Amino acid sequence: RPDGSLDPSFGQGGIATDASGQGLVAQGLALEDDGSIAIVGTSGWNFFVLRFQPSGMLDSSFGTGGEVEGDFGLGYVGGSAGSAVSILANDQVVVSGAANAQVPSSVLAVGRLNPDGTLDATFGQGGYALSTATGPVNVYPTLIAVLPDGSVLMAIMASSLWNGSYQLRRFLPDGSPDPTFGVGGEVTLQMPPN
């Protein structure tokens, strides 16, 4: 509520939960105009997306009982962590994260899901767009924004033992890197060394 108190009409006394008991770790949230909510995070070796109705109940039309799990198409190679989510006007869900999040190479990932939670096969390779970060660096996508033309802008923190940087990567609506943005779809802002 506007005064900070819990809304008793939402979920159970103002709190919506996932009762799967799988130890989900939420990392990002998106709110639709109608009050629906999408949450992204990590579940074991996979990323997950939960979708709640405005009432706080899980949306049974999305995935399995309101939940989708995935691995960005890479299986169990280092695990897949979901970190940011956005909802499109057509009710598709865009999720970003990292797979194999280890040095020396981490894979940045964007996935696009249809309103029913299935992968959008017209995006990237089978629904996923992947971009490799090379060198002795850990990367962590922090935010995504879907632009009016359907392009996806991803903000990333990248760090090594000695310094760090912020990166922006832009993907075209089909999931391919935008060649008109920076170098091969990437812009890097170097932080001063420690």
Side-chain angles (χ1 to χ4, degrees), residues 4-158:
S5 62
L6 290 172
D7 179 356
S9 69
F10 179 78
Q12 299 281 332
I15 299 173
T17 61
D18 168 62
S20 66
Q22 297 178 13
L24 309 181
V25 179
Q27 299 288 342
L29 178 147
L31 179 66
E32 292 187 75
D33 291 338
D34 69 354
S36 299
I37 298 170
I39 296 175
V40 67
T42 305
S43 173
W45 290 98
N46 293 330
F47 76 85
F48 75 86
V49 181
L50 293 175
R51 191 159 185 170
F52 291 90
Q53 298 172 340
S55 65
M57 299 296 103
L58 284 166
D59 182 354
S60 60
S61 70
F62 182 77
T64 302
E67 179 179 351
V68 169
E69 285 197 18
D71 58 14
F72 293 122
L74 295 175
Y76 286 89
V77 183
S80 299
S83 58
V85 64
S86 182
I87 304 171
L88 307 185
N90 64 359
D91 271 352
Q92 286 186 314
V93 175
V94 177
V95 57
S96 71
N100 191 28
Q102 308 168 16
V103 294
S105 64
S106 298
V107 178
L108 300 164
V110 178
R112 192 164 70 197
L113 306 175
N114 292 314
D116 64 358
T118 59
L119 287 166
D120 178 0
T122 67
F123 183 79
Q125 297 293 318
Y128 297 124
L130 305 178
S131 180
T132 302
T134 58
V137 61
N138 288 309
V139 294
Y140 187 77
T142 56
L143 297 169
I144 55 170
V146 181
L147 306 181
D149 67 352
S151 298
V152 178
L153 188 64
M154 179 193 295
I156 302 146
M157 286 193 309

